[in-house]
Amino acid sequence: MRIQRAVIREIPLELREYFEISSGGTRARRAVLLTLECEGVEAWSECVAGETPGYTYETTDTAWFVLTRWLLPALVGTEFEDGRRLHPVPWLRGHPMARAAIEMAGWDLEAKRRNVSLARLLGANRTAVPVGVSIGIQKTDDALLERVEGFIAEGYRKIKIKIKPGRDVEMLSAVRERFPDAPIMADANSAYTLDRDLSRLQAMDHHDLMMMEQPLSHEDMLDHSLLQEQISTPVCLDESIRSPGDARLALHLQAGRIINIKPGRVGGFGPSIAIHDACVEAGWPVWCGGMLESGVGRAYNVALASLPGFTIPGDISNSRRYWARDIVSPEFEMVGGMMPVPDGPGIGVTPDVERIEAMTVRKEVFEA
Ligand code: OSB
Ligand code: MG
């Protein structure tokens, strides 16, 4: 098949609430949406790069640049056998989020061409996946307790609490005291170091957390391994895992016990499956993380999370948790803590093209 046309758009999406992590906060996403057209089929994907290089080095602007300068010009007009393997510029290093936007759109294209859902194309057969919610750093412990209570009442099966030095040990004990049995975990987004913060990290070992996500540097696999030897709470890696090679290294070094897979962070579905398979073989559970996606990106996360190794609830929350109104229909809405996996062709949800077009702040079209 031949990709005839590609359209890249940026739309602003205001979050219903400010979302703060240890490296900074977000009020609105600058979402990058990609459309590929091929023999009457239209595929959609979302590039999940952040507004700032505070999570990984990629940003909305670097991804836009790499996509429009190299990836999309090479993509249009080329013949492909299987949409699941779109790698238009094999020599291009890094920039996994930019590459993933194309790789994942290829999966939607292939699924729609075969008239099957993304989940089916992945070989998964679960009809719903367990989900949780990620809570940004709140101004006060009381505000956090209120949020936790609300989300537990809504049925979320994992409550992830963002932490940073000074908003950690005491805050987590307050949550644990108030909700003795709640499935809570912490995510530090690399805010700690082993030599400075070991005792603080060990103090958090007593809160019966499901896991401690990415406590140390995004570049320090060895220190995560040394930390895991000294705490009993499972360490979960997020930023540290940028490829299947990183996952193999983490497994080899025992740099944790759990991996959070975000398909954008690792370059798409292909690498996500490779990481999933390596973890299943090693006996490590995985779960699907989130990047505050619109419904387009969320559809990919839900499909990926339907693979069997995704045994821990993902950061895949209701559309309403993020947006006043999502850009797809139907919106994502869980039932009893489970997100139904769309079963229509491809991503299984329909982007509201008219509204997206009206919201678009920049757009480039590539034609064969
Ligand atoms: O570390 O998982 C993270 C959002 C932006 C950047 C990093 C992270 C997050 C989240 C949000 O935790 C999860 C979601 O999309 O609900
Ligand atoms: Mg994280």
Side-chain angles (χ1 to χ4, degrees):
M1 60 179 173
R2 188 157 168 271
I3 314 263
Q4 283 133 348
R5 194 161 183 267
V7 182
I8 182 171
R9 293 183 178 86
E10 178 182 332
I11 61 167
L13 281 176
E14 197 180 329
L15 285 161
R16 284 185 54 202
E17 74 180 48
Y18 179 65
F19 188 80
E20 185 181 334
I21 69 175
S22 63
S23 59
T26 312
R27 272 181 210 293
R29 294 286 279 123
R30 290 174 59 198
V32 172
L33 299 174
L34 180 65
T35 315
L36 303 183
E37 290 168 32
C38 173
E39 290 160 27
V41 178
E42 187 176 83
W44 283 81
S45 70
E46 176 170 353
C47 176
V48 300
E51 291 69 43
T52 71
Y55 169 71
T56 69
Y57 64 83
E58 290 187 273
T59 68
T60 308
D61 293 311
T62 68
W64 185 278
F65 180 68
V66 169
L67 279 159
T68 57
R69 171 72 176 81
W70 291 288
L71 292 166
L72 294 172
L75 180 69
V76 289
T78 335
E79 292 283 345
F80 290 97
E81 290 268 311
D82 188 329
R84 291 173 290 185
R85 283 185 280 279
L86 296 188
H87 299 294
V89 187
W91 52 260
L92 190 142
R93 302 208 175 162
H95 303 281
M97 292 174 179
R99 284 188 281 114
I102 289 178
E103 199 257 14
M104 290 159 76
W107 278 77
D108 186 33
L109 209 53
E110 188 67 25
K112 284 173 175 162
R113 198 167 71 122
R114 298 179 186 210
N115 201 30
V116 297
S117 67
L118 267 187
R120 171 67 74 84
L121 188 62
L122 280 160
N125 51 19
R126 282 197 261 175
T127 57
V129 297
V131 292
V133 65
S134 172
I135 310 179
I137 297 168
Q138 304 290 308
K139 287 225 164 57
T140 63
D141 290 1
D142 280 345
L144 175 61
L145 291 170
E146 198 176 299
R147 299 320 309 276
V148 173
E149 182 167 35
F151 286 130
I152 291 173
E154 281 188 59
Y156 286 107
R157 296 188 179 198
K158 174 167 68 71
I159 310 288
K160 166 164 135 180
I161 299 166
K162 293 289 186 178
I163 59 169
K164 65 178 179 182
R167 301 281 292 143
D168 46 22
V169 183
E170 296 75 16
M171 184 175 84
L172 291 173
S173 5
V175 176
R176 185 43 91 207
E177 200 173 301
R178 173 86 170 270
F179 307 99
D181 305 315
I184 60 171
M185 61 166 288
D187 185 0
N189 289 106
S190 295
Y192 299 89
T193 65
L194 198 51
D195 50 356
R196 191 187 59 204
D197 301 310
L198 180 60
S199 58
R200 202 173 262 278
L201 294 164
Q202 283 174 323
M204 288 185 266
D205 211 9
H206 304 297
H207 297 319
D208 188 26
L209 300 176
M210 294 169 79
M211 71 194 87
M212 164 81 64
E213 184 175 345
Q214 196 70 37
L216 308 174
S217 168
H218 61 114
E219 297 185 310
D220 207 334
M221 200 79 89
L222 179 56
D223 275 358
H224 278 99
S225 166
L226 298 173
L227 173 65
Q228 184 67 90
E229 283 174 2
Q230 298 173 77
I231 61 174
S232 53
T233 303
V235 168
C236 168
L237 297 172
D238 175 353
E239 287 92 324
S240 287
I241 307 298
R242 301 151 306 182
S243 66
D246 285 341
R248 290 176 58 226
L249 183 60
L251 291 166
H252 186 79
L253 291 177
Q254 298 284 297
R257 296 195 193 121
I258 299 170
I259 289 178
N260 160 342
I261 302 180
K262 295 181 183 174
R265 193 194 65 227
V266 302
F269 265 18
S272 296
I273 295 164
I275 294 168
H276 164 271
D277 293 351
C279 287
V280 167
E281 197 184 315
W284 284 27
V286 299
W287 53 280
C288 184
M291 288 295 290
L292 308 173
E293 288 93 344
S294 79
V296 173
R298 196 163 308 284
Y300 286 91
N301 291 347
V302 175
L304 185 67
S306 67
L307 286 172
F310 286 80
T311 52
I312 296 173
D315 279 349
I316 304 172
S317 310
N318 288 340
S319 292
R320 283 289 156 80
R321 185 268 181 278
Y322 310 90
W323 323 112
R325 191 172 155 206
D326 207 334
I327 56 168
V328 301
S329 57
E331 297 200 347
F332 284 90
E333 192 175 352
M334 65 180 181
V335 183
M338 303 287 286
M339 190 65 76
V341 180
D343 60 5
I347 57 174
V349 290
T350 309
D352 184 343
V353 187
E354 251 171 57
R355 224 175 110 236
I356 290 168
E357 196 60 45
M359 293 165 84
T360 297
V361 293
R362 60 172 163 167
K363 171 176 170 176
E364 281 187 44
V365 179
F366 297 81
E367 265 161 347

